[in-house]
Amino acid sequence: MVTTKMNVCNEFEKNDGTGKDNRYLYLRSVVKIECGQNEGTAVCVHTSDAVGGHLFLTCAHVVDYIIQSVIIRYDGLAIKGRVIYVNRKAVPYDIAVIVTENTKQTTDILPCQISDETPTIGQKMFSVGFSCREYMPSTVFGHMHRMIYSILMTTCNVRAGFSGGPVFSIDRKLLGLTIGKLNIGTFHYVLPSTEFVETIKKYIITNNIEILNNLESKCPLTTVLWNNVIPTSKVCHI
């Protein structure tokens, strides 16, 4: 059994001794991702000596569905990161896993707590992300509108650059990742945390990268719906 040094932030309201306003501690788990010409957002879900630094989740399309190096932007710093897992294109659920290569640069970043509960219709939530060409995160509020084929639809009016960014509950738990929005209107689509929370927990405990293969849906029906039904809703990656 592998023993890891875990430092999961379960209580955002705690005083962390930095003097910063704890109401906004969730911002310390959100970073900007740059991958070639692509810009997106990622969220930290764990920090551990065993996994080589901070562990981030983002969308596979943000990193071009490729295992490669990326730049993580946080608080004026440019931090080297590497993609250690990515979904194949056109396979649910458009998720990638990134680790940092220099933990000394990321000591101010806090991992968030991943929710294992499905949101209810009407539940308030908010999305955080870095709009393209901007280096300060934005927060947009909304509520859950409906669930469609294991994907959440919310009223958070996200913008280009929010892809891969977190959607939080009012108590700052990670409810999912932004994967896109409608071409027309304000509805946006979220990969719910219930689709990845158990796999990420198992990876954190074991440090076995093969476990991350469970982030890719093996259900033929889900794949058909993902590639044939959801696109007809005119969802665009952002």
Side-chain angles (χ1 to χ4, degrees):
M1 179 177 179
V2 178
T3 301
T4 62
K5 178 182 176 183
M6 298 181 67
N7 181 23
V8 179
C9 182
N10 291 323
E11 296 180 56
F12 276 92
E13 299 303 327
K14 274 189 175 180
N15 187 336
D16 66 351
T18 64
K20 296 185 178 181
D21 191 332
N22 289 340
R23 291 176 299 173
Y24 303 102
L25 280 180
Y26 66 87
L27 292 175
R28 289 172 58 187
S29 68
V30 187
V31 300
K32 185 181 182 73
I33 296 292
E34 295 179 353
C35 180
Q37 297 299 312
N38 288 0
E39 295 183 18
T41 304
V43 60
C44 180
V45 294
H46 182 66
T47 179
S48 166
D49 295 336
V51 300
H54 282 63
L55 189 73
F56 296 90
L57 302 181
T58 189
C59 280
H61 73 262
V62 170
V63 297
D64 280 333
Y65 307 95
I66 298 173
I67 301 292
Q68 60 178 307
S69 297
V70 298
I71 297 297
I72 296 169
R73 300 278 184 182
Y74 176 78
D75 198 25
L77 298 174
I79 304 163
K80 290 183 179 180
R82 55 188 172 87
V83 180
I84 61 170
Y85 172 83
V86 63
N87 278 167
R88 292 174 295 163
K89 192 172 185 178
V91 175
Y93 286 104
D94 194 9
I95 189 170
V97 181
I98 298 171
V99 296
T100 54
E101 297 183 351
N102 187 341
T103 56
K104 292 182 180 179
Q105 290 181 284
T106 59
T107 55
D108 194 47
I109 298 175
L110 291 177
C112 66
Q113 182 180 3
I114 308 176
S115 173
D116 57 4
E117 298 180 356
T118 301
T120 57
I121 293 177
Q123 180 176 333
K124 294 180 180 179
M125 54 190 60
F126 60 95
S127 179
V128 184
F130 289 82
S131 299
C132 287
R133 311 306 174 192
E134 294 186 7
Y135 291 91
M136 291 292 292
S138 300
T139 300
V140 291
F141 292 83
H143 63 267
M144 179 177 167
H145 177 66
R146 62 180 294 195
M147 175 84 79
I148 176 172
Y149 307 115
S150 300
I151 298 297
L152 303 181
M153 181 185 287
T154 87
T155 61
C156 298
N157 190 14
V158 297
R159 298 182 285 278
F162 272 57
S163 279
V167 177
F168 291 114
S169 61
I170 296 303
D171 59 356
R172 281 80 162 175
K173 292 181 181 179
L174 180 65
L175 296 177
L177 306 175
T178 291
I179 57 175
K181 67 176 296 183
L182 289 176
N183 283 327
I184 299 174
T186 61
F187 290 119
H188 106 288
Y189 287 86
V190 178
L191 172 64
S193 58
T194 50
E195 297 294 339
F196 57 77
V197 59
E198 291 304 322
T199 297
I200 295 301
K201 284 182 177 179
K202 288 179 182 178
Y203 172 69
I204 289 171
I205 292 172
T206 64
N207 195 31
N208 180 358
I209 198 167
E210 292 185 3
I211 287 175
L212 295 178
N213 290 324
N214 293 327
L215 293 172
E216 187 171 281
S217 174
K218 307 301 188 297
C219 175
L221 178 59
T222 300
T223 301
V224 170
L225 293 173
W226 181 271
N227 290 304
N228 296 289
V229 178
I230 293 179
T232 64
S233 299
K234 297 183 179 179
V235 179
C236 62
H237 288 159
I238 54 172

